[in-house]
Amino acid sequence: MTRTPRLPPGQQLAARDKWPQVGERAPADCSAPWTLQIAGEVESPRELSFEQLLALPRVSLALDIHCVTRWSKFDLRFAGVSLADVLSLANPTRAARFVSFVARSAREHSTSLPLPDALALGAVLATHCDGAPLPREHGGPLRAVVPDRYFYKSLKWLSRIDVLSEDRLGYWESQAGYHNHADPWREERFIASSLSKQEAAQILNARDFAGRELLGLDASGRDLSGLRAAGARLRNADFAHCSLVGADFRGANLSNARFHAADLRDACLVDADLEGADFSGASLAGADLQGASLTAATFCSSSGGARFDAETKVAASQLEALMPGQLEFVSVALREAQAGR
Ligand SMILES: Nc1nc2c(c(=O)[nH]1)N[C@H]1C(S)=C(S)[C@@H](COP(=O)(O)O)O[C@H]1N2
Ligand SMILES: [Mo]
């Protein structure tokens, strides 16, 4: 089914030749042969060799992918075997209600879905993409691919499927506040902040966020100049219209944070995670963004462009992570700022 519009709300389309890497960059221990285990609520637990997997009926899937950090790619052509076929080899029990995909990776990364959803969405265990074996950096040799969910439900380096009677939250869902349902059309990106209004007010008054977990903090409109927020976890936080002059966000996680029309003059954003963050209409004069990751960050929207000056620090190589329209805006704006116009 093709929807109109095809781009879910709040997403930007990546250039055709670009596919960002998100999360873990590589699997663990590739010396042992790749196998797929099916365990948990199944009558006959299985361990399939890669050859056995390849011998199952092949399915292919043309898919638009949508990362929670606000980039999308249209029409990747995955091929592999269907989750349904693989599971039926192991005979799920009547108690089977969820599937958890587990990776062969350093942190045994995982993500889960209700079993009926995974089947209804047509989840595929992909071995190929666009006619070639799936590249290792994108989850090869085997990756779960789940249509119509943010891409964090599509696990790279799949090595085990646990069939479960109760849900077990995955890595991002339990550690980073990612929404467990993850429907891009409903923008189910993050769970709500768990801070009470009172807690939030206290933290804001103290102006010291350093090292804290503050997912979804609503700080909009505040005077937070000189804020100490090094290493803070501020995914999905709202700093729209804030004064943040000289704020220290070194190494902070500001993925999907909103800085619309914020005053970030002389702020330190060194090594921060700014993926999917919104700087439209913000002042970044004198701000230092070196080492920050800028995948799908927004600097220009219909409600205004960010402002830079000759002292704004950001490397040309960092800009390559921007989506096409943003890259053009930032390149021009920086060039003009450096020329002192
Ligand atoms: N094993 C594993 N799978 C993972 C992740 C991860 O960190 N580890 N990150 C998820 C997230 S958040 C996204 S957006 C996609 C990114 O896939 P890509 O790097 O191929 O673009 O992988 C998902 N699957
Ligand atoms: Mo993601």
Side-chain angles (χ1 to χ4, degrees):
M1 182 180 70
T2 306
R3 298 190 195 229
T4 320
R6 194 171 165 187
L7 193 63
Q11 296 294 112
Q12 306 175 53
L13 199 54
R16 265 221 152 277
D17 59 343
K18 284 198 182 164
W19 182 354
Q21 254 193 303
V22 182
E24 294 178 297
R25 296 294 202 261
D29 176 27
C30 288
S31 53
W34 205 273
T35 61
L36 176 65
Q37 275 180 273
I38 308 147
E41 288 292 344
V42 288
E43 307 284 359
S44 21
R46 299 289 295 259
E47 177 161 10
L48 301 176
S49 68
F50 205 69
E51 292 65 39
Q52 285 173 310
L53 263 179
L54 289 175
L56 292 173
R58 304 291 292 170
V59 295
S60 59
L61 180 66
L63 190 67
D64 298 348
I65 64 174
H66 312 295
C67 176
V68 73
T69 60
R70 300 184 180 276
W71 57 266
S72 294
K73 265 187 93 58
F74 288 165
D75 238 356
L76 285 168
R77 289 166 191 279
F78 290 101
V81 297
S82 80
L83 174 69
D85 283 349
V86 168
L87 285 183
S88 67
L89 294 176
N91 272 320
T93 69
R94 292 177 55 183
R97 290 177 54 225
F98 296 89
V99 281
S100 174
F101 299 124
V102 184
R104 189 193 286 189
S105 73
R107 63 184 181 212
E108 289 202 37
H109 189 94
S110 72
T111 192
S112 69
L113 291 146
L115 176 57
D117 290 9
L119 297 175
L121 293 166
V124 166
L125 313 184
T127 57
H128 288 69
C129 185
D130 289 342
L134 190 60
R136 181 139 294 187
E137 69 265 28
H138 289 300
L142 186 66
R143 161 173 214 158
V145 177
V146 181
D148 269 317
R149 292 291 179 265
Y150 283 123
F151 206 36
Y152 56 87
K153 292 292 180 185
S154 292
L155 183 115
K156 300 185 273 196
W157 315 299
L158 178 67
S159 75
R160 195 172 81 233
I161 302 173
D162 284 334
V163 181
L164 302 170
S165 57
E166 302 289 337
D167 198 6
R168 182 178 70 206
L169 286 183
Y171 179 86
W172 297 115
E173 295 88 338
S174 63
Q175 306 294 309
Y178 283 26
H179 198 293
N180 197 29
H181 193 252
D183 182 345
W185 297 96
R186 293 157 67 174
E187 288 204 75
E188 292 169 334
R189 298 176 194 273
F190 294 95
I191 56 172
S193 165
S194 61
L195 296 170
S196 69
K197 276 210 159 67
Q198 217 171 11
E199 286 169 312
Q202 267 170 17
I203 291 161
L204 288 164
N205 288 335
R207 290 199 201 185
D208 189 356
F209 302 179
R212 300 192 62 159
E213 170 58 69
L214 296 168
L215 169 79
L217 178 74
D218 181 3
S220 56
R222 296 277 180 151
D223 176 5
L224 293 169
S225 45
L227 177 72
R228 292 182 300 278
R233 280 162 294 168
L234 287 156
R235 287 186 179 88
N236 201 37
D238 191 353
F239 292 102
H241 300 279
C242 277
S243 171
L244 288 160
V245 177
D248 179 12
F249 287 107
R250 182 182 288 268
N253 193 316
L254 291 159
S255 176
N256 283 37
R258 283 179 296 287
F259 288 102
H260 170 70
D263 187 350
L264 283 157
R265 281 174 295 161
D266 299 323
C268 172
L269 294 155
V270 172
D271 294 338
D273 181 343
L274 304 178
E275 299 185 2
D278 175 15
F279 293 96
S280 59
S283 175
L284 288 160
D288 190 346
L289 285 76
Q290 291 174 101
S293 73
L294 295 174
T295 306
T298 295
F299 289 88
C300 176
S301 72
S302 55
S303 50
R307 294 182 301 285
F308 307 93
D309 73 358
E311 307 305 316
T312 305
K313 293 191 184 67
V314 58
S317 58
Q318 291 175 266
L319 303 184
E320 284 163 26
L322 293 172
M323 299 296 114
Q326 299 297 322
L327 174 59
E328 196 182 301
F329 169 81
V330 176
S331 307
V332 171
L334 275 174
R335 207 178 312 131
E336 290 181 353
Q338 272 145 15
R341 273 180 282 160

